[in-house]
Amino acid sequence: MRTYHCFWLLFWAGQPHQSFSTPLSERTSGFPEKEKVLVLSGNSRQDLHRSKRSWMWNQFFLLEEYTGTDYQYVGKLHSDQDKGDGSLKYILSGDGAGDLFIINENTGDIQATKRLDREEKPVYILRAQAVNRKTGRPVEPESEFIIKIHDINDNEPMFTKDVYNASIPEMSDVGTFVVQVTATDADDPTYGNSAKVVYSILQGQPYFSVESETGIIKTALLNMDRENREQYQVVIQAKDMGGQMGGLSGTTTVNITLTDVNDNPPRFPQSTYQFRAPESTPLDSPVGRIKANDADVDENAEIEYSITEGDGYDMFGITTDKDTQEGIITVKKALDFESKNLYILKVEATNTHVDPRFLYLGPFKDSATVRIQVEDVDEPPMFSRPAYIMEVKEDVPLNSIIGTVTAQDPDAAKNPVKYSVDRHTDMDRVFNINSGNGSIFTSKPLDRETLLWHNITVIAAEINNPKQSSRVPVFIKVLDVNDNAPEFAMFYETFVCENAKAEQLIQTLSAVDKDDSYNGHQFSFSLAPEAASSSNFTLQDNRDNTAGIFTRKTRYNRHETSTYFLPVVISDNDYPIQSSTETVTIRVCACDHRGKMLSCNAEALVHPTGLSTGALIAILLCIIILLVTVVLFAALRRQRKKEPLIISKEDIRDNIVSYNDEGGGEEDTQAFDIGTLRNPEAIDDNKLRRDIVPETLFIPRRTATARDNTDVRDFINQRLKENDTDPTAPPYDSLATYAYEGNGSVAESLSSLESVTTDGDQDYDYLSDWGPRFKKLADMYGPMDSDKDS
């Protein structure tokens, strides 16, 4: 027979802080009257059996935001295997077990240790189990139950924005949509009215209203005018609990701006405007500004101005300043006080963007009268023409009048005018002008071939007010006269062969003329009278401005006459006739049978313009040879070495190092030669030292040379004594030989190496007598002896 064991979950109603449980099929709102027990089968947690005393539970409710000082009691676990002897232990696991929810393992009582917030976590799933305290084995299957947090109204509605911004056109109808505000409540919307939000308007009546359920804000007043008031601030409240008393609320601010519409026509602040304009006002210059006021803004306030009528309709124009919306009146034609001094205009201002909805308010334009008074000014003289063109022949006599300019004062006073030439345009002073009547005359000769056009500027100024002046350009064209004789088009130098035949053409001539010919030049050619009968050549005029030179005889001899000079007379057919004599140079040359030139006289072919190519090559060769010689000589001198005085197998050459010589290093053996020490008599007394640069030329004193068999040591000592007694010898102490080191210096080593090996060799007491600069050294070395003594 199978045995069933039950595991009960009991919730007690007798505690001060109640908890609630709900069956699967319904939801309770009050406290349970009976103890609710969750019974599970001992074999399967899915086999549910109803107890005789109660029904099954699997879901419980617990109030959130508990404010008591003690732990909040949740319920009690109990197993029918519990005999009350403490052999069983109750275990709780799942969401918040051990931290948020604790259980008494002996009694099975469950408590909540912290305040619970449904908005943070609305549901906790826990598992309960009863185990044997000694063995730890479960005596009941694990049972799962759910704790739901019962919501209370602890959250006020929150708007999605702290501040809303909206705009609507002015003059909108009542009920026009403005904006919708939204508030949310964190409380449970499925339980009670804690999350049910109702909207109301706290500030903004009577201009706007809000729908209580949707939060839509609409206009509530007709014909709201932006020009009267542009900004509105509306405060909206959202209250939960369906707006009942005790509900929580939140507010938000809505800034509403009325946008402009074109509901205002432009209006001139005055009906008449008056301006003054000097008659010298340049074209397109402003005369004055007018402005029509428009209460609208932006494109609704854009105005276009126009001149509709008036006696100055074609004299003035008007444009709109896009930045200031002003009408700018400008001059279209030149003003003249003497002709008309008053203009009356009618100006109209019109909106460019008209809204048809507001045409009933009247025409969206306005007009005003503009009076412009022209003022008289002292104007400069005015020439009768904007420019003058004059012509003059190049052979005109000096001081001849070539034309006249005229200018007069346009003012009513008609002040007298004086004329002058702007010398910046006539630097050579070729022309002059009569200051009284404006007649221009020449002051220097003219030459068309040098300059065809002269462009000068004439100045006309009032005598009473020289600052009032004007200028006019004068273009003077110099007309040509036949004053230039024709000449050859080029320099002609030709040749004739020695074997030439009579009547043979050797050269064709052409000519040019600097003068201008309207009908074309017609030149005639002829030989000069002195050469016409005695010349060896003839000239034939081709009547086409060319001529040919022909031989008169057969054969020419270049050894008898190498060059012929043929004078040719060239004449033109203009008036007066001009002629010139040009010379053609003809050389006699040797030619082959086809008439090709082979050679002429050297004097005729070579011009003394410079050296020949052969001479230049010879000079270059001489320069190259000279450079090569210098280079070889320098190389030989560098390679030349001094032969030793003694040549022996036992000869050992050591370097004598000069520390102020950065020469060839160890390989430089020319500085000193130890062979000299072995043969003292071979020393050249007049030879200066090569390792240093002597400051003055001084011949050192030499003692008698030692014997040939003198030892090297004696020789060195002898030379050392000579240098010690020589006041002109430099302090040169770098001489060293490796063959002999001597007996050492009397002063011994000057090196500081090994100076620390002895302590009592040096006495530094004298350092304290050298002054304060050596006090540091005296302190360092002086006290050492005293320390030792102590």
Side-chain angles (χ1 to χ4, degrees):
M1 182 176 181
R2 181 175 297 179
T3 303
Y4 294 92
H5 303 283
C6 295
F7 181 48
W8 298 347
L9 178 61
L10 300 94
F11 290 86
W12 303 95
Q15 299 298 325
H17 309 287
Q18 296 86 356
S19 61
F20 301 90
S21 61
T22 304
L24 291 173
S25 59
E26 60 176 321
R27 181 174 182 178
T28 62
S29 60
F31 299 121
E33 297 179 356
K34 295 183 180 181
E35 186 180 73
K36 306 303 187 286
V37 180
L38 177 62
V39 180
L40 295 171
S41 172
N43 295 330
S44 175
R45 60 183 298 180
Q46 296 179 354
D47 296 335
L48 301 179
H49 297 274
R50 185 181 300 274
S51 169
K52 293 181 179 181
R53 297 184 299 168
S54 141
W55 57 88
M56 291 183 298
W57 299 82
N58 72 338
Q59 182 169 294
F60 305 97
F61 288 88
L62 187 65
L63 288 176
E64 68 170 334
E65 302 295 341
Y66 170 69
T67 59
T69 58
D70 298 332
Y71 290 161
Q72 186 178 7
Y73 185 77
V74 177
K76 183 179 179 65
L77 292 179
H78 184 72
S79 173
D80 57 358
Q81 300 294 324
D82 190 357
K83 306 301 182 179
D85 55 359
S87 62
L88 296 183
K89 181 174 68 174
Y90 295 96
I91 299 175
L92 188 67
S93 62
D95 294 341
D99 179 22
L100 184 58
F101 300 100
I102 60 176
I103 187 171
N104 189 321
E105 63 181 14
N106 296 322
T107 63
D109 293 328
I110 302 173
Q111 292 178 313
T113 61
K114 298 179 181 179
R115 295 175 60 183
L116 302 178
D117 189 358
R118 189 201 66 84
E119 286 71 38
E120 292 183 2
K121 188 174 177 63
V123 177
Y124 295 88
I125 300 175
L126 298 173
R127 292 178 298 276
Q129 193 173 30
V131 299
N132 188 291
R133 188 180 297 275
K134 292 182 180 181
T135 63
R137 294 181 178 180
V139 297
E140 296 284 356
E142 189 178 54
S143 178
E144 182 179 276
F145 62 95
I146 298 173
I147 298 177
K148 285 192 174 182
I149 308 304
H150 197 291
D151 182 45
I152 63 173
N153 188 19
D154 59 342
N155 292 279
E156 69 276 4
M158 300 291 294
F159 283 94
T160 57
K161 295 181 181 179
D162 294 334
V163 177
Y164 288 82
N165 294 305
S167 62
I168 58 170
E170 62 175 333
M171 309 299 288
S172 297
D173 296 332
V174 175
T176 302
F177 174 85
V178 179
V179 70
Q180 183 177 13
V181 296
T182 303
T184 59
D185 196 316
D187 293 326
D188 189 359
T190 64
Y191 180 77
N193 295 325
S194 298
K196 185 176 181 181
V197 178
V198 174
Y199 300 95
S200 61
I201 185 168
L202 300 182
Q203 177 183 323
Q205 300 95 343
Y207 307 102
F208 300 95
S209 63
V210 63
E211 294 182 357
S212 60
E213 295 183 358
T214 62
I216 296 176
I217 301 174
K218 298 180 179 180
T219 58
L221 190 65
L222 185 64
N223 295 333
M224 287 189 292
D225 193 358
R226 185 199 65 84
E227 287 73 32
N228 294 331
R229 183 177 177 181
E230 184 177 4
Q231 298 288 340
Y232 294 87
Q233 190 175 73
V234 179
V235 178
I236 303 297
Q237 181 189 64
K239 191 174 183 180
D240 59 12
M241 298 297 291
Q244 299 176 5
M245 293 185 61
L248 303 178
S249 64
T251 60
T252 187
T253 301
V254 182
N255 294 323
I256 302 175
T257 303
L258 297 183
T259 58
D260 185 60
V261 297
N262 191 9
D263 58 341
N264 293 279
R267 290 290 182 263
F268 283 105
Q270 58 192 69
S271 60
T272 303
Y273 294 86
Q274 292 190 0
F275 298 103
R276 293 181 177 271
E279 62 176 336
S280 60
T281 302
L283 298 182
D284 297 327
S285 297
V287 173
R289 290 172 175 254
I290 60 175
K291 183 177 182 181
N293 298 326
D294 194 325
D296 298 322
V297 295
D298 299 333
E299 67 174 13
N300 296 321
E302 292 181 0
I303 301 174
E304 184 176 297
Y305 297 91
S306 61
I307 299 176
T308 58
E309 58 183 69
D311 52 2
Y313 180 82
D314 59 340
M315 296 293 296
F316 300 92
I318 187 168
T319 59
T320 303
D321 189 333
K322 298 301 181 181
D323 297 329
T324 62
Q325 294 301 315
E326 293 178 316
I328 305 174
I329 301 175
T330 57
V331 177
K332 292 174 60 178
K333 293 184 179 180
L335 302 177
D336 188 6
F337 173 82
E338 289 73 23
S339 300
K340 187 175 180 63
N341 56 17
L342 178 62
Y343 294 91
I344 300 176
L345 310 174
K346 185 178 180 180
V347 178
E348 187 175 80
T350 307
N351 275 143
T352 56
H353 299 84
V354 179
D355 194 335
R357 296 177 300 169
F358 305 101
L359 290 178
Y360 67 92
L361 298 177
F364 281 76
K365 60 182 178 180
D366 195 14
S367 60
T369 301
V370 179
R371 298 170 58 90
I372 301 175
Q373 183 72 42
V374 180
E375 296 179 342
D376 186 24
V377 296
D378 189 4
E379 299 177 85
M382 182 179 298
F383 284 94
S384 59
R385 300 179 188 176
Y388 292 86
I389 299 177
M390 302 178 182
E391 294 181 349
V392 59
K393 291 186 176 182
E394 60 179 330
D395 62 344
V396 67
L398 296 181
N399 299 322
S400 299
I401 297 176
I402 60 177
T404 302
V405 297
T406 304
Q408 63 180 359
D409 184 9
D411 298 324
K414 301 297 180 182
N415 293 322
V417 176
K418 64 177 181 179
Y419 302 92
S420 61
V421 176
D422 186 357
R423 290 307 172 187
H424 293 90
T425 60
D426 185 23
M427 302 292 290
D428 297 332
R429 296 180 176 270
V430 178
F431 302 96
N432 212 332
I433 191 171
N434 189 309
S435 61
N437 57 22
S439 58
I440 300 174
F441 56 89
T442 59
S443 58
K444 288 186 177 181
L446 303 176
D447 187 5
R448 188 202 66 87
E449 288 71 34
T450 303
L451 187 61
L452 177 61
W453 285 92
H454 294 267
N455 303 326
I456 66 174
T457 300
V458 175
I459 303 173
E462 295 182 7
I463 296 177
N464 299 333
N465 187 9
K467 292 184 179 180
Q468 293 293 335
S469 62
S470 57
R471 298 166 175 263
V472 67
V474 179
F475 307 102
I476 302 173
K477 182 180 181 181
V478 181
L479 301 179
D480 183 50
V481 296
N482 191 25
D483 57 347
N484 290 279
E487 56 188 12
F488 280 151
M490 56 180 293
F491 175 73
Y492 289 103
E493 181 178 6
T494 185
F495 72 94
V496 61
C497 296
E498 287 183 310
N499 56 357
K501 299 180 180 179
E503 301 299 328
Q504 181 179 344
L505 176 65
I506 62 174
Q507 182 65 47
T508 300
L509 306 177
S510 62
V512 293
D513 195 335
K514 295 180 180 180
D515 292 324
D516 189 14
S517 177
Y518 297 102
N519 299 322
H521 292 290
Q522 295 182 2
F523 303 123
S524 59
F525 300 86
S526 62
L527 292 178
E530 62 273 14
S533 57
S534 60
S535 176
N536 294 304
F537 303 91
T538 60
L539 181 67
Q540 179 179 342
D541 192 347
N542 298 327
R543 303 299 180 183
D544 58 355
N545 293 335
T546 63
I549 300 177
F550 295 85
T551 57
R552 175 174 287 182
K553 64 178 183 177
T554 302
R555 301 192 63 83
Y556 292 85
N557 191 342
R558 58 176 172 152
H559 298 289
E560 294 180 358
T561 304
S562 61
T563 304
Y564 293 94
F565 298 99
L566 185 66
V568 177
V569 178
I570 310 173
S571 302
D572 58 21
N573 291 328
D574 293 335
Y575 179 82
I577 295 177
Q578 301 288 340
S579 62
S580 64
T581 301
E582 301 287 333
T583 301
V584 179
T585 302
I586 303 174
R587 305 186 185 280
V588 181
C589 301
C591 303
D592 56 11
H593 65 282
R594 292 178 298 179
K596 183 178 180 180
M597 180 183 66
L598 297 177
S599 64
C600 299
N601 292 340
E603 295 81 6
L605 296 178
V606 179
H607 297 280
T609 57
L611 297 176
S612 64
T613 304
L616 291 176
I617 294 174
I619 293 174
L620 290 176
L621 289 176
C622 293
I623 293 174
I624 292 172
I625 293 172
L626 181 60
L627 291 176
V628 172
T629 303
V630 172
V631 171
L632 291 176
F633 180 75
L636 290 175
R637 292 201 59 181
R638 289 185 178 180
Q639 295 178 357
R640 187 174 60 189
K641 297 183 178 179
K642 182 179 179 181
E643 295 294 334
L645 297 177
I646 299 176
I647 300 176
S648 174
K649 293 181 179 180
E650 299 178 356
D651 185 18
I652 301 175
R653 294 179 179 270
D654 291 339
N655 288 333
I656 301 176
V657 181
S658 174
Y659 295 105
N660 63 348
D661 183 9
E662 299 180 2
E666 295 181 357
E667 296 180 358
D668 187 2
T669 59
Q670 296 185 9
F672 299 94
D673 189 357
I674 199 169
T676 305
L677 300 178
R678 300 183 182 276
N679 189 6
E681 293 181 354
I683 299 177
D684 188 2
D685 292 340
N686 294 331
K687 184 179 298 183
L688 299 177
R689 295 175 61 171
R690 298 192 304 172
D691 56 336
I692 62 173
V693 179
E695 296 181 359
T696 58
L697 294 176
F698 186 85
I699 300 176
R701 295 177 298 171
R702 299 292 184 186
T703 59
T705 58
R707 294 175 286 106
D708 293 343
N709 58 355
T710 302
D711 189 22
V712 174
R713 179 177 59 183
D714 297 336
F715 175 81
I716 293 175
N717 291 334
Q718 179 182 353
R719 291 305 182 193
L720 181 61
K721 185 181 298 184
E722 291 176 2
N723 285 277
D724 290 339
T725 57
D726 187 4
T728 63
Y732 191 83
D733 58 353
S734 65
L735 185 143
T737 62
Y738 300 103
Y740 176 72
E741 294 183 0
N743 294 328
S745 174
V746 178
E748 298 182 351
S749 176
L750 298 179
S751 173
S752 61
L753 302 176
E754 299 181 358
S755 62
V756 297
T757 57
T758 60
D759 296 330
D761 295 338
Q762 298 293 333
D763 185 8
Y764 300 97
D765 295 337
Y766 61 91
L767 293 175
S768 59
D769 299 332
W770 285 10
R773 295 187 178 181
F774 296 89
K775 185 176 184 306
K776 185 66 176 179
L777 292 176
D779 294 341
M780 293 173 60
Y781 295 96
M784 295 177 63
D785 295 338
S786 61
D787 294 338
K788 292 179 181 181
D789 295 339
S790 61

